[in-house]
Amino acid sequence: MPQVTHILDQDCLTRQTLELLSDKWKSLILHALCDGPLRYGQLKRIIPDITHKMLAQTLKNLEQDGLVQRTLFPTNPPTVEYNLTPLGQTLIPILSELCKWAEDNFQKVLAARNRQIFEGEYEQIT
């Protein structure tokens, strides 16, 4: 049985999971793949602000983590498709909840940031 550790401990599995999902590119790619397999070019069009290098590196990392499967089709030229593994699919409800939270609450975060900026400017004036 695995030893239960505290989230603040370096070896905690929860902490390692948070580190895994805290990368915005990983989360965006996982979200893009939630409706089914996509080719590299399709992913690049869906996430236009990701560089080719970062997309390739992130896909490789997701594959190594067992969250994404890369399938090579023997066509000319070769076709490669990326799809969520069963393990990767288990993250979709979590990512969906995070998206819902953002839609419901991020305006409040922006308002708090704006208050901090305004109060900081006001303090500098006085």
Side-chain angles (χ1 to χ4, degrees):
M1 180 175 217
Q3 180 182 3
V4 177
T5 57
H6 190 275
I7 191 170
L8 299 178
D9 293 340
Q10 185 175 359
D11 296 328
C12 177
L13 298 179
T14 303
R15 180 175 173 170
Q16 292 176 45
T17 302
L18 288 172
E19 289 173 5
L20 173 82
L21 293 177
S22 66
D23 180 287
K24 74 175 177 181
W25 300 123
K26 285 183 179 181
S27 296
L28 291 173
I29 290 169
L30 291 169
H31 183 75
L33 292 172
C34 73
D35 290 329
L38 295 170
R39 294 187 313 273
Y40 181 92
Q42 291 172 306
L43 283 166
K44 181 68 178 105
R45 282 189 293 282
I46 291 170
I47 312 169
D49 54 329
I50 191 171
T51 65
H52 286 287
K53 179 181 178 182
M54 185 57 68
L55 178 56
Q57 180 180 332
T58 306
L59 284 167
K60 184 177 181 178
N61 290 340
L62 287 168
E63 188 178 1
Q64 289 172 343
D65 291 336
L67 302 174
V68 168
Q69 178 181 354
R70 180 181 185 269
T71 305
L72 177 64
F73 295 96
T75 57
N76 191 8
T79 303
V80 176
E81 217 173 56
Y82 297 91
N83 198 13
L84 293 178
T85 64
L87 180 62
Q89 291 173 358
T90 65
L91 291 171
I92 297 309
I94 296 165
L95 291 173
S96 295
E97 280 299 313
L98 183 60
C99 291
K100 183 179 178 341
W101 183 90
E103 291 168 9
D104 293 346
N105 295 290
F106 208 76
Q107 289 298 326
K108 296 171 189 170
V109 172
L110 294 175
R113 288 178 183 173
N114 287 334
R115 277 194 306 277
Q116 292 294 324
I117 291 170
F118 177 76
E119 289 170 3
E121 290 173 356
Y122 180 76
E123 288 171 5
Q124 290 177 358
I125 294 171
T126 58

